[in-house]
Amino acid sequence: MPRELHLSIELDGTGHHPADAGPIAPPTAAHWPDLVRLAEQGALDFVTFGDAPAPPPDGSGDSGDRLDAVAVLARVAAMTSRIGLVPTVTTTHTEPFHTSTALAELDFLSEGRAGWQVDVSTTGARAVGRFPRAAAAELWAEATDTAEFAARLWDSWEDDAETGDTATGRFTDRDRRHHADVDGPHVSARRPSMVPRPPQGRPPLAVALDVHDSDGQWELAASHADVVLLDADQPATARLARAALQHRTAEAGRDPDALRVLIRVAVDLGGGSGPGPHSIPPADTVRFTGTAADLAGLLADWHAAGGADGFHLLPASAPADLPAVVHEFVPPLRERGIFRADYTGRTLRDHLGLPRPAGRYARRTGTAR
């Protein structure tokens, strides 16, 4: 029986639309929930929603109305029930404690469907009124430290730390709350989280990666990523990159088989002219313009060649391309037996086939659940 693939889609901004498409009207309150509900109809693993402190490029056609990714997906969480919700949160201008808390709360609001796409900002310092930008290597080192701190905070409550003991009036068992001790060049803290351990234990962490990216990005992926969104323009390149990722993941003391590698594919299924000059995807990204049925054949062949667990679609226009993805691209994959007919689990970790991690502090005390 062929391996089932994983499938996700980017719903950032207005999509990779042509620069000459004209100004885009600000989205209504129903815009994002409607799109995510449609993606959920197709049983996609998750959607990503981008965020950045820098304004869009001049002449992009983007209205410039950027909404906070976590806030948008918190609203969407109440209007969906199965699909994973993965906001981008940059570690450059967001305090690590606030990042971990916001993502834990999103995991509670969505009942275990939150993820986190980690990114850094090399251009947004002036927009947020903070320090000048640092070198990229330092920013990615900071991102790695923040990811480690977030994981420690999420683990700082054991799964049974909430007691709700009305007789004593205690909400938690203090012996099952632990200090997440971190003292490094980028993050320094000693305290437990403000919120209980998230439903998934740790919301899955995603990193976008290119074979030419810096060693710091590869280190973050190897040491902390559950999902890598990989740019690779040929199956052979994907196989080599996947093997390198698995090797580095094993060196970091993690199970390489628990890493999911999804190839990013820029798609235009609406008969448009493809990505415009302001939003050209990275050079190594697979690009496709044509019918949804042809895309299904192409990606099925890619999947059969190995090197990828699935695909992350970058639509030219989400409102135009997403219906074709759900109604014309997904069915042929199901007919081939390589994509689910419906969700079989409830959490994002369920969709990805990833176990719920045990808390590191609970293991230490012998009370892991």
Side-chain angles (χ1 to χ4, degrees):
M1 183 175 179
R3 295 176 298 120
E4 286 193 352
L5 59 81
H6 298 283
L7 191 63
S8 58
I9 192 166
E10 173 188 279
L11 297 181
D12 300 7
T14 53
H16 297 289
H17 57 82
D20 59 0
I24 305 299
T28 65
H31 177 77
W32 301 117
D34 285 350
L35 286 177
V36 179
R37 280 195 295 256
L38 179 56
E40 190 172 61
Q41 288 180 29
L44 274 61
D45 290 64
F46 61 88
V47 299
T48 60
F49 193 91
D51 204 352
D58 292 338
S60 67
D62 195 318
S63 66
D65 295 303
R66 291 186 179 274
L67 304 178
D68 179 84
V70 175
V72 168
L73 293 183
R75 173 183 172 83
V76 169
M79 302 179 183
T80 55
S81 61
R82 292 296 184 89
I83 195 165
L85 308 173
V86 183
T88 296
V89 180
T90 64
T91 58
T92 308
H93 304 298
T94 309
E95 293 296 337
F97 189 85
H98 295 161
T99 296
S100 65
T101 300
L103 291 166
E105 291 172 346
L106 180 61
D107 206 40
F108 276 108
L109 288 170
S110 63
E111 299 181 313
R113 294 183 288 125
W116 173 22
Q117 183 171 346
V118 182
D119 202 359
V120 303
S121 172
T122 60
T123 60
R126 184 173 297 179
V128 297
R130 291 195 63 191
F131 47 80
R133 68 183 185 186
E138 184 175 350
L139 295 180
W140 284 108
E142 179 184 44
T144 301
D145 287 353
T146 300
E148 173 64 21
F149 177 56
R152 288 177 179 270
L153 272 180
W154 293 331
D155 285 353
S156 66
W157 289 51
E158 296 182 30
D159 289 328
D160 55 359
E162 293 180 80
T163 59
D165 190 340
T166 56
T168 62
R170 290 184 177 178
F171 173 65
T172 65
D173 181 343
R174 292 184 179 180
D175 291 337
R176 290 183 169 86
R177 294 174 61 197
H178 308 274
H179 285 199
D181 293 337
V182 177
D183 187 12
H186 304 103
V187 179
S188 180
R190 185 177 185 272
R191 62 163 299 165
S193 173
M194 290 178 61
V195 297
R197 196 163 192 243
Q200 296 182 97
R202 300 173 205 149
L205 186 150
V207 178
L209 194 65
D210 183 288
V211 292
H212 304 298
D213 278 333
S214 70
D215 189 64
Q217 289 165 267
W218 279 75
E219 180 181 350
L220 172 61
S223 59
H224 292 286
D226 299 288
V227 178
V228 168
L229 307 177
L230 180 68
D231 292 324
D233 58 359
Q234 297 292 332
T237 304
R239 286 195 298 271
L240 290 172
R242 179 191 173 90
L245 277 167
Q246 290 182 319
H247 177 72
R248 293 187 64 155
T249 300
E251 285 186 329
R254 303 173 63 220
D255 180 5
D257 292 331
L259 181 67
R260 302 290 177 260
V261 178
L262 276 60
I263 304 299
R264 296 205 295 182
V265 183
V267 300
D268 183 352
L269 306 178
S273 57
H278 74 287
S279 59
I280 296 175
D284 290 332
T285 303
V286 182
R287 303 159 195 242
F288 177 87
T289 299
T291 69
D294 287 343
L295 177 63
L298 172 68
L299 297 191
D301 290 344
W302 262 72
H303 186 59
D309 298 298
F311 303 93
H312 183 58
L313 304 181
L314 315 178
S317 167
D321 293 327
L322 184 54
V325 168
V326 172
H327 300 303
E328 301 169 30
F329 168 68
V330 166
L333 297 179
R334 289 175 175 157
E335 291 172 4
R336 294 169 184 257
I338 57 174
F339 190 64
R340 66 171 72 91
D342 201 355
Y343 295 106
T344 57
R346 296 204 62 86
T347 72
L348 178 53
R349 284 187 172 274
D350 289 340
H351 305 338
L352 294 169
L354 297 174
R356 186 179 188 273
R360 69 192 71 196
Y361 303 109
R363 287 200 300 273
R364 222 175 264 174
T365 60
T367 59
R369 297 294 189 271

